[in-house]
Amino acid sequence: MAPGNLTWVTEFILMGITDLLELQVPLFFVFLVIYGLTVVGNLGTITLTSVDSRLQTPMYFFLRHLAITNLGNSTTIAPKMLLNFLAKKKTISYYCCAAQLGGFLVFMEAEIFTLAAMAYDHYVAVCNPLHYMVVVSRQICLLLVSLTYLFSLSTALTVSSFVLSMSYCSSNVINHFYCDYVPLLALSCSDTYIPETAVFTFSGTNLFFSLIIVLISYLNIVLAILRIQSSEGRQKSFSTCASHMMAVTVFYGTLLFMYVQPTTNHSLDTDKMASVFYTLVIPMLNPLIYSLRNKDVKDTLKRFLNNPCKLLKLM
């Protein structure tokens, strides 16, 4: 650390979701099941969209990377959280805390822009189907995903450097179940104006622009669907986007809830409940949302379970 910003704290104490001792073991099993389903569901999505030639389309390419970000986000948070449910000393070292903050920011930002890229993909599929494979070519998909990860990494490094450049020289108790920037800002004993401004500017700007892309895409999709004459055609077009619309509504709804609530009502306890949802529950739900409503994925899963060797040979 730079002189003048010396960090006296070498480890932090994570308070977790609750400090009630009788809830620690039950919550451990609840979140163990959630994390287990998240790993199985997202690894399954990654595997199926990789091995089946029928799922080598832009839509499933983006779905694969959404599963990667969901798995990465949960894995950054859940293992330490689960250990702390059973540990007497719920500590995390300063450098592990920094790594957890950075990992969380990388995967969260990547998820935001992956959902925006998926919305654009659906827009082209519905509104410009004849040029779909040209507009959303493999090169364009690789470019969008590469830019997403590059931008997410640069954002995470910038925000983390602002947060971790502050002095933590008094209390080391984080009122959260992982190292998030909001409780870390609240914990600092130095001036937080510049770090707070930088953090919320980056977060708000990224959320705003990705949401604009999603809203414009779906506005055009709805208008295009309404212009379709046959009810069968409208239903087919809507079913193409239904799963993504559901996932987007749940994800952005949770994030917007945190941003639009009045400052007077804002609390770290509210943040913790919202964080449980978008770091652990949503990554578990996304594979279910996309798989249960997607005939291609369900068919691939059946073929994989019946003859996994045949599909793996096609890789």
Side-chain angles (χ1 to χ4, degrees), residues 39-228:
V39 172
V40 171
N42 286 288
L43 279 180
T45 300
I46 294 166
T47 302
L48 293 177
T49 55
S50 299
V51 301
D52 193 346
S53 58
R54 302 179 195 184
L55 302 184
Q56 303 306 307
T57 64
M59 180 175 72
Y60 296 110
F61 176 81
F62 290 123
L63 179 58
R64 185 187 313 142
H65 285 278
L66 179 64
I68 291 171
T69 61
N70 284 162
L71 183 60
N73 204 359
S74 288
T75 302
T76 300
I77 306 300
K80 184 61 179 176
M81 176 190 185
L82 290 170
L83 284 174
N84 281 349
F85 276 127
L86 304 179
K88 291 183 179 179
K89 191 177 181 183
K90 306 178 189 297
T91 58
I92 183 170
S93 72
Y94 176 83
Y95 293 106
C96 285
C97 184
Q100 191 177 62
L101 173 63
F104 162 72
L105 290 170
V106 167
F107 291 114
M108 182 57 64
E109 294 294 332
E111 182 170 0
I112 287 173
F113 285 103
T114 300
L115 287 172
M118 293 175 75
Y120 173 73
D121 171 66
H122 283 89
Y123 156 73
V124 178
V126 173
C127 300
N128 199 3
L130 296 179
H131 299 91
Y132 177 70
M133 296 308 296
V134 176
V135 177
V136 194
S137 63
R138 180 170 179 79
Q139 290 75 17
I140 294 297
C141 291
L142 289 171
L143 177 62
L144 288 174
V145 166
S146 299
L147 289 175
T148 292
Y149 288 125
L150 182 62
F151 186 75
S152 300
L153 181 60
S154 60
T155 299
L157 289 173
T158 303
V159 171
S160 298
S161 64
F162 272 111
V163 173
L164 297 170
S165 66
M166 299 183 299
S167 298
Y168 300 97
C169 47
S170 53
S171 174
N172 66 336
V173 180
I174 298 177
N175 186 17
H176 217 308
F177 59 91
Y178 69 97
C179 290
D180 194 6
Y181 53 79
V182 174
L184 283 170
L185 287 170
L187 198 63
S188 174
C189 60
S190 58
D191 183 18
T192 61
Y193 176 76
I194 293 178
E196 279 183 353
T197 303
V199 165
F200 290 106
T201 298
F202 270 95
S203 302
T205 302
N206 294 344
L207 181 60
F208 173 77
F209 280 111
S210 64
L211 187 57
I212 287 296
I213 294 171
V214 171
L215 291 176
I216 291 175
S217 297
Y218 275 104
L219 176 61
N220 283 282
I221 287 171
V222 170
L223 293 175
I225 291 175
L226 293 176
R227 288 195 293 266
I228 298 175

